[in-house]
Every structure is written in C-alpha cells, then in structure tokens.
Amino acid sequence: MPAARRPRSLRRWLSRWLAIQTFIALGLVCIAVYYATNLNLGIRQDALLQQKVEVIRHLVEENRGNGDSTRLRHKLDDFFYGRPDFSLELEIDGEKVTYGGPVSGDHVASHDRRITFSLPHPSTPGDSMSAELVLDITPDIRLRRALAWTLFGCALVGAIVAAKVATMLVRRGLAPLDALATQAAQLSPDRIGERLDGSGQADEVRPLVHQFNAVLQRLERAYVQMEGFNADVAHEMRTPLATLIGETELALKTRPSQNALREILGSNLEELHRLSSIVNDMLFLSQADRGAQARATWEGELAEVAGEVAQYHEAEALEQNLHIRVVGTGTAAIDRRLLQRAVSNLVSNAVRYADPGSVIDIILSPSGEDAVQVAVRNTGEPIPAEHLPRLFHRFYRTDEARGFDGNHHGLGLAIVAAIARMHGGTSFARSEGRSTIIGFSVLKPHASGFARDITEN
Ligand SMILES: Nc1ncnc2c1ncn2[C@@H]1O[C@H](COP(=O)(O)OP(=O)(O)O)[C@@H](O)[C@H]1O
Ligand SMILES: [Mg+2]
C-alpha cells in the first residue's frame, strides 16, 4: 500500500523555498563582491609593487657610477626603514642582501606577493643585478577572510529574514481563509439557507466561494424537495392509516357479526393494498433516482406491447364508451414489463379524463434518429399550461381540490418519467384545445446503452 502523502503546508513550503532562493541569490551576489574585491586588492598590490620598483630603480640610478655601493645600501636601508610590509632582496657584489621585511617569525610564504626585476649594477657599469621585491599581503588576506565571513553571514541572515517574512505574509494572506473555514463550520441543515460571505476574500479565492455557494444552493433545493416529498408521503399515508385504525377500533369495540367482520377485514385489506402500492411505487422511484437502468431484454415492435395494454384497459374504457386505438409503429430494445407499466399509467389517466364516447390513441412515432416516442392522446378538459411542467413531479395532481382519492396518489406520471429515464429517454406533456397528449421516448437498440439491473416491484 502506498504511504499516504503528508498534507503540504503552504506556509512551510513557501518559507522554505523563499529562504533557499534568497540564500542562493544573496550567495551569488556575495561571491561576485568577494571576487571583485579580491581582484581590486591584487591590482592595488601590483600597483604598489610597481611604484616601489620605480623608486628603487631611481635610487639605484642616482648612485650609479660612483663605484661604491655603500651609499646605495644606506639609502635603501633608509627607504625600507619602518616599512615592514615590503622587503627587497638584492645581490650586490656577490652578496645577498635583504632590506626591510617581516620582523615577526610567523611569516608565511604564501602571504607574499613578489616581483623580480633587474637593476643596473651600481659599481660595474653595463652589468646588472637581479632584485626581488616582496610585499607582505597578510593584512589583505585578513581583510579578505573577514569579508568572506561577513558576506556569508549576510546571505544567511537574509535567507532567515526572507523565510520569516514569507511565513508572516502567508499567515496574513491565509487569514481570510481561516475565517471562511469558521463560516463553513457554522453551516448546518437547520441553517440551510445560509451562504458563505466571500466579500473579504482575495480575487483568487472568490470563484471558490462562489462555486461552494452554488453547491449549497443545489443542496438546499434537493433538501427542500426531499422534505416536501417526505411531507407528501406522510400526507398520503395518513388517510388510509386513519381509516384502518378507525375501522379496527370500531370492530374491537362493537361485537360485529361474522359477515360484518369479513366486510371490515375486506375493506382494511383494500386500504393495505393501497398503502403497499404507494410504498412499492416509492421504492421503484428511489431506485430509478439512484441511476438504475432498464434491462433491455426484449426487442421488437412496440405496437404489440401497446396493443396488450389497450386490451387490458378495454373493459374500463367500454364503461365510458371509449375506444382505444394503436397508431403507428416503432421498434426498440426495452424492458417489456416496465414499458407496459408506463403505457398503462398513461392510458389509465386518459380513460379517466377523456370525454365519454371519444377515442384514445396510443401513438408510436420515431423521435429523431435514435429514439421512439410513445404517447397517449385523449380528448377532454385541457390541462392548464401552468400545471404542465410539474405534471411528472411526485404526488402532483392538478385536481387536488377534488380531495383525497385513494387510488390516485399522483405517482403515475412520475413513474412514466422514471421509466423513460431508465430507457435513456425523456417525457413530455402537451395540452391544446381539448386534445391532451402525454408521452415519453425510449432509445432505439443501437443507441441504448442501459444494462444495469432493476428489481421491479
Ligand atoms: N390525460 C390527462 N388529462 C388531464 N389531466 C391529466 C391527464 N393525465 C394526467 N393528468 C393530471 O396529472 C395528474 C398526475 O397524474 P398521475 O401522475 O398519473 O397521478 P394520478 O393519476 O395518481 O392522479 C393527475 O392528477 C391529473 O390531474
Ligand atoms: Mg395516473
């Protein structure tokens, strides 16, 4: 198992990198300063040596030709007196003489800068003698070392200061985010309408706050919808439950005859069936909500399925002198039982709302390239336009004013829409004049990709 990555602290990361960067940058500047100083020191030492060489040359020129080197020696002694940083080595009259030079014993040879040159011989004209002028550069080396340490210290201190400043800046920069986290922590389901306040946030953070608020908005909508749904469920169940309780209490209080008792039990069973059908419908809808797809196990002519449904509702339709027709054709790969259920819901609505003696059409038609449309048309009271968009919502009924109707909970069209979704299609409702047409589409075999299972109740 790969080790979990430690969460990265922005503060630590930024200050570390700023410190490293500052140290490198300052280090480079310091190295440049060090080398420039070193170069200048070298040039100055050369100039000093050259200057002294000129003076010595002048002294030697002055004492030339008098055949005696004593005067020259004396002059050189005078010249080098009190100049411990300079020394001159000369070979006069076959003798090696040193003027000036370090007094202390701890002199290091590498702390010298020397120049070798030749001088005219003071006593033998035309002859020359070799000389070496040595400059003790120990003070310069000390200066160089001190400079190196100072520069290194500066780079180090600079890096530490940069790291500290970065830490402070990041802390200050992130402070509004902390405030945002506190705000977010205070959000709770009973304060669902609240949003995060992004006014004090940086421009970079605002889109995040905006998106977060958009998510909250969507959650609020879903939450309110779910709450409404719960209330609807409770509302739908209350009446049959009250009836069940009332009838059972009455049966317990009185001493009903066996026949009366059977009647009560029969009516209770009816209520229980209704309750069970609501619960089953809701279970089905929740499965569809969770993304269940239809199993397209049957592929064929939808007119066949529509015909079966029409037949099923025939008796019911005849009571109102209605005639059910199947118009058009269309093939699709479907879950046959689900499709029957959807068409049946539509037909039962049509039978309920159709003008007596009219014709109900189950219309099959192609919908675009890759879908088939199944619609049921009836003639009757039109559905007001404001109801049309909500017709497929759960528990929605346009005729709410008619009061509780034990067999019509307003889930029929919600199930039609769910079945359409499960077949990759959509649902629609139109009502013009006295013609109402409600239906849905399913994807054709080559376009349908549904394979997931659903347990139908
Ligand atoms: N063919 C139709 N003509 C007029 N109104 C309809 C028709 N079909 C559905 N409706 C309206 O849509 C509502 C929702 O229908 P549905 O979901 O099947 O619920 P239910 O049939 O249980 O009332 C119905 O209550 C009715 O008001
Ligand atoms: Mg219905």
Side-chain angles (χ1 to χ4, degrees):
M1 217 176 77
R5 250 187 95 189
R6 248 183 75 203
R8 199 171 63 176
S9 154
L10 205 60
R11 209 173 286 169
R12 228 175 300 136
W13 179 79
L14 245 165
S15 47
R16 188 188 311 141
W17 276 106
L18 238 125
I20 293 173
Q21 214 179 344
T22 313
F23 187 69
I24 292 173
L26 283 179
L28 287 175
V29 172
C30 291
I31 289 171
V33 169
Y34 179 79
Y35 275 102
T37 311
N38 210 14
L39 199 71
N40 276 315
L41 284 176
I43 293 171
R44 196 182 65 104
Q45 289 157 5
D46 282 344
L48 270 174
L49 280 171
Q50 210 57 52
Q51 193 189 356
K52 294 290 177 278
V53 168
E54 289 311 317
V55 176
I56 292 162
R57 217 183 273 285
H58 180 72
L59 284 177
V60 173
E61 290 288 342
E62 255 183 5
N63 292 281
R64 226 169 124 191
N66 56 12
D68 183 15
S69 62
T70 325
R71 217 173 108 86
L72 176 64
R73 285 177 193 226
H74 188 70
K75 285 245 168 181
L76 285 173
D77 265 336
D78 282 354
F79 181 69
F80 282 101
Y81 182 75
R83 285 195 177 136
D85 46 344
F86 278 103
S87 64
L88 177 72
E89 275 174 26
L90 261 183
E91 235 187 272
I92 307 178
D93 306 334
E95 184 192 346
K96 226 179 180 149
V97 207
T98 305
Y99 298 95
V103 221
S104 60
D106 60 355
H107 180 76
V108 187
S110 64
H111 289 188
D112 285 346
R113 197 173 183 95
R114 46 189 75 218
I115 183 168
T116 319
F117 56 101
S118 61
L119 289 169
H121 203 279
S123 41
T124 334
D127 235 1
S128 66
M129 58 183 177
S130 87
E132 191 177 44
L133 184 64
V134 179
L135 172 66
D136 178 15
I137 56 167
T138 310
D140 282 0
I141 286 172
R142 268 196 214 115
L143 176 79
R144 222 162 57 184
R145 197 171 295 151
L147 182 72
W149 280 111
T150 311
L151 291 175
F152 177 74
C154 283
L156 203 66
V157 169
I160 291 168
V161 169
K164 290 277 172 223
V165 170
T167 310
M168 206 182 71
L169 284 181
V170 172
R171 189 174 297 147
R172 192 177 288 181
L174 294 184
L177 278 186
D178 290 342
L180 207 63
T182 316
Q183 273 189 53
Q186 279 162 2
L187 296 174
S188 67
D190 48 313
R191 295 162 75 175
I192 190 86
E194 282 187 18
R195 299 287 179 269
L196 293 186
D197 175 19
S199 55
Q201 298 298 331
D203 281 352
E204 290 82 356
V205 180
R206 272 191 205 179
L208 189 76
V209 176
H210 185 73
Q211 287 304 326
F212 190 82
N213 283 341
V215 171
L216 283 181
Q217 174 110 33
R218 287 199 288 275
L219 280 178
E220 182 186 350
R221 223 176 288 146
Y223 188 78
V224 167
Q225 211 172 0
M226 212 161 67
E227 272 191 333
F229 182 60
N230 286 344
D232 285 337
V233 172
H235 182 75
E236 285 305 316
M237 295 201 155
R238 197 167 54 176
T239 315
L241 282 174
T243 314
L244 276 173
I245 293 168
E247 287 191 356
T248 313
E249 275 176 352
L250 196 69
L252 285 173
K253 268 187 210 143
T254 55
R255 303 183 102 229
S257 65
Q258 198 158 7
N259 274 352
L261 199 60
R262 280 184 75 84
E263 224 168 273
I264 291 169
L265 282 178
S267 129
N268 282 2
L269 185 65
E270 222 173 278
E271 291 296 343
L272 286 170
H273 274 307
R274 273 184 208 139
L275 278 173
S276 149
S277 94
I278 296 180
V279 171
N280 285 340
D281 285 352
M282 281 178 357
L283 270 179
F284 178 80
L285 286 171
S286 83
Q287 274 175 318
D289 277 353
R290 273 183 278 133
Q293 296 285 308
R295 261 197 309 177
T297 47
W298 186 85
E299 189 180 338
E301 180 53 60
L302 298 188
E304 198 183 300
V305 183
E308 285 167 10
V309 176
Q311 214 171 358
Y312 177 80
H313 288 276
E314 206 171 50
E316 193 188 342
L318 271 179
E319 277 176 26
Q320 293 183 65
N321 201 19
L322 293 167
H323 180 60
I324 306 175
R325 285 190 311 200
V326 178
V327 185
T329 57
T331 50
I334 49 153
D335 181 319
R336 202 181 153 108
R337 285 216 303 158
L338 287 185
L339 199 89
Q340 275 175 340
R341 190 174 179 183
V343 179
S344 178
N345 282 0
L346 292 175
V347 172
S348 90
N349 280 352
V351 169
R352 195 162 155 225
Y353 295 101
D355 287 334
S358 63
V359 175
I360 293 169
D361 287 327
I362 305 176
I363 308 162
L364 302 169
S365 57
S367 164
E369 290 252 306
D370 46 7
V372 183
Q373 209 172 67
V374 185
V376 174
R377 180 176 57 204
N378 72 277
T379 333
E381 276 305 311
I383 305 173
E386 70 268 22
H387 291 298
L388 288 174
R390 281 178 287 169
L391 230 47
F392 295 94
H393 290 185
R394 281 151 211 206
F395 297 112
Y396 191 78
R397 282 168 297 196
T398 57
D399 47 4
E400 202 89 51
R402 283 193 202 173
F404 178 74
D405 180 344
N407 287 316
H408 301 279
H409 322 287
L411 289 175
L413 289 184
I415 287 174
V416 170
I419 292 174
R421 268 203 318 275
M422 289 159 77
H423 283 89
T426 52
S427 48
F428 63 90
R430 286 192 293 272
S431 192
E432 283 152 16
R434 289 189 66 79
S435 167
T436 296
I437 179 158
I438 303 177
F440 61 95
S441 61
V442 291
L443 282 191
K444 275 188 171 174
H446 64 273
S448 52
F450 29 80
R452 272 179 61 193
D453 213 343
I454 173 152
T455 22
E456 206 214 327
N457 297 291

